[in-house]
Amino acid sequence: MTAAHPAATAPIDPTLDLFAEIERLKRKRKAVILAHYYQDPDIQDLADHLGDSLDLARKAQAERDAEVILFCGVHFMAETAKILNPQKTVLVPDMDAGCSLAEACPADQLRAWKAKHPDHFVVTYINCTAATKAESDIICTSSNARKILDAVPTDRPILFAPDQNLGRWLIRETGREMDLWPGSCMVHITFSERKIIELKTRHPDAEFIAHPECEDHVLRHADFIGSTKRLLDHVATSPKTRFIVGTESGILHTMQKAAPDKELIEAPVESRGGCTACSECPHMKLNTVEKVYLALRDMQPALEMDEEMRKRAELPLLRMLEVS
Ligand code: 13P
Ligand code: SF4
């Protein structure tokens, strides 16, 4: 299992230029910063590598020179970096940065599901814990899921966990039947079909683009569906000039930089219990520049992982990286 070192306690000197300090500490620690597109703009801008889940897993695998990986994303992503780099220190700015999908499918529950379907091949979305990965035959991301499913022997029925919405989209796309685990992303299920239809009516020239973690009734209005990186590339290369973006709003920062002349509209979400409705992932947004600085200054919190479990989790991840 993974465990955290105790959190840093010494206060931050208020006179410091944190961005300059982060640069200095990065050199001192021989550290590289990997960040997901859903991070705050400041963190995206200070990252050495910015990417979606697949890019970041590849970057973590290819990382040779660094002694430290500081992972700005959520816990399961940092675990992926640790699985692929057991000899490196993997720092996580906030150990509480979880994921509703990872929480939805604990390893013991996946093991019990497998036991009921012993002939099935287990394809698990990368949004899960290392322990859950260790129970899987192969891992996929939203970028490579179709390719991964094509690599599953056609005579083997499939168990797909934990994202039922990605799973449903894949069944439609590939024609491959799968049993689905009932997990979902707390952010991507909040988009409002009614408000999206209204917005499309108001802007008939706009393309609605969406991540496959969105629900079926929202995806059916999408003009383009793809992983975070595919959405980014699509906006940059499409001849269209206006887009309604159905994914976590952090991507808009880098999307706007990649396509400065295009108009990006956040896809509207359902109002939730009186709070301001938004499409921000509360886990991703736990990371701050201050926590990045503290992690590099104090070399904690750092991931630790049981070696036997790491080896079992590495196998299905390496299979994924070979296939994609
Ligand atoms: P991708 O980065 O693979 O598009 O996944 C989105 C996501 O929800 C990450 O948490
Ligand atoms: Fe998990 Fe959804 Fe947040 Fe991604 S956006 S980390 S899938 S809760």
Side-chain angles (χ1 to χ4, degrees):
M1 299 299 287
T2 55
H5 287 300
T9 47
I12 297 177
D13 174 351
T15 64
L16 286 179
D17 173 345
L18 287 187
F19 293 95
E21 275 302 293
I22 287 169
E23 282 306 316
R24 184 184 69 75
L25 286 167
K26 245 172 51 179
R27 284 193 296 278
K28 180 175 168 191
R29 307 288 193 207
K30 293 194 174 57
V32 65
I33 300 183
L34 305 187
H36 192 272
Y37 293 120
Y38 297 169
Q39 292 294 285
D40 272 339
D42 277 347
I43 296 181
Q44 292 190 42
D45 289 346
L46 59 77
D48 296 295
H49 302 294
L50 185 60
D52 68 0
S53 309
L54 181 60
D55 292 331
L56 294 173
R58 283 188 179 132
K59 285 283 173 348
Q61 189 190 32
E63 192 46 65
R64 303 249 178 273
D65 302 332
E67 289 174 12
V68 174
I69 295 176
L70 173 57
F71 206 108
C72 298
V74 290
H75 192 270
F76 78 81
M77 295 180 174
E79 279 192 326
T80 300
K82 185 69 178 176
I83 292 166
L84 296 168
N85 290 282
Q87 73 292 354
K88 294 193 199 304
T89 300
V90 175
L91 297 173
V92 179
D94 193 317
M95 281 286 180
D96 289 335
C99 168
S100 64
L101 279 169
E103 271 166 39
C105 189
D108 57 336
Q109 292 184 23
L110 182 58
R111 211 176 304 125
W113 199 36
K114 274 168 46 175
K116 286 191 196 145
H117 304 278
D119 55 333
H120 283 52
F121 198 88
V122 181
V123 181
T124 308
Y125 190 33
I126 198 163
N127 295 39
C128 65
T129 63
T132 296
K133 286 183 178 70
E135 298 295 329
S136 312
D137 291 311
I138 196 163
I139 306 300
C140 72
T141 75
S142 51
S143 273
N144 63 16
R146 284 199 226 178
K147 226 184 221 177
I148 299 293
L149 288 184
D150 286 346
V152 177
T154 47
D155 59 341
R156 294 284 301 277
I158 299 173
L159 296 181
F160 186 85
D163 190 353
Q164 58 182 316
N165 296 306
L166 175 64
R168 270 189 209 109
W169 176 70
L170 287 168
I171 291 172
R172 265 209 322 277
E173 288 292 301
T174 63
R176 195 87 193 249
E177 268 314 310
M178 305 193 286
D179 284 8
L180 305 178
W181 187 265
S184 53
C185 163
M186 62 190 290
V187 178
H188 287 89
I189 62 167
T190 57
F191 293 110
S192 160
E193 181 185 14
R194 178 183 59 80
K195 292 183 191 173
I196 287 166
I197 294 170
E198 281 171 11
L199 204 51
K200 283 188 78 161
T201 311
R202 226 178 305 145
H203 301 290
D205 60 318
E207 266 195 334
F208 171 46
I209 61 172
H211 195 283
E213 288 175 13
C214 296
E215 288 172 299
D216 210 28
H217 64 100
V218 165
L219 288 181
R220 68 171 174 240
H221 300 284
D223 303 296
F224 183 85
I225 298 170
S227 67
T228 312
K229 176 75 165 71
R230 292 235 167 109
L231 298 181
L232 178 63
D233 293 345
H234 180 74
V235 168
T237 55
S238 164
K240 296 274 185 177
T241 54
R242 189 179 273 164
F243 300 86
I244 301 164
V245 183
T247 190
E248 209 272 358
S249 55
I251 185 69
L252 269 77
H253 172 67
T254 292
M255 213 174 242
Q256 196 70 78
K257 281 211 242 172
D261 301 332
K262 301 197 174 172
E263 186 187 343
L264 308 176
I265 305 169
E266 281 179 39
V269 301
E270 291 295 351
S271 306
R272 282 170 283 182
C275 78
T276 312
C278 70
S279 52
E280 286 193 352
C281 173
H283 298 290
M284 288 277 182
K285 297 317 197 242
L286 280 178
N287 296 330
T288 61
V289 172
E290 285 76 12
K291 290 178 193 172
V292 169
Y293 162 72
L294 285 173
L296 282 173
R297 187 194 71 180
D298 301 335
M299 291 295 282
Q300 61 177 6
L303 272 179
E304 284 167 15
M305 194 174 285
D306 173 76
E307 180 57 12
E308 190 271 328
M309 196 261 296
R310 187 199 69 77
K311 280 193 186 141
R312 289 197 300 122
E314 188 181 28
L315 270 177
L317 253 183
L318 291 179
R319 277 190 203 123
M320 172 191 87
L321 290 166
E322 269 162 36
V323 172
S324 54

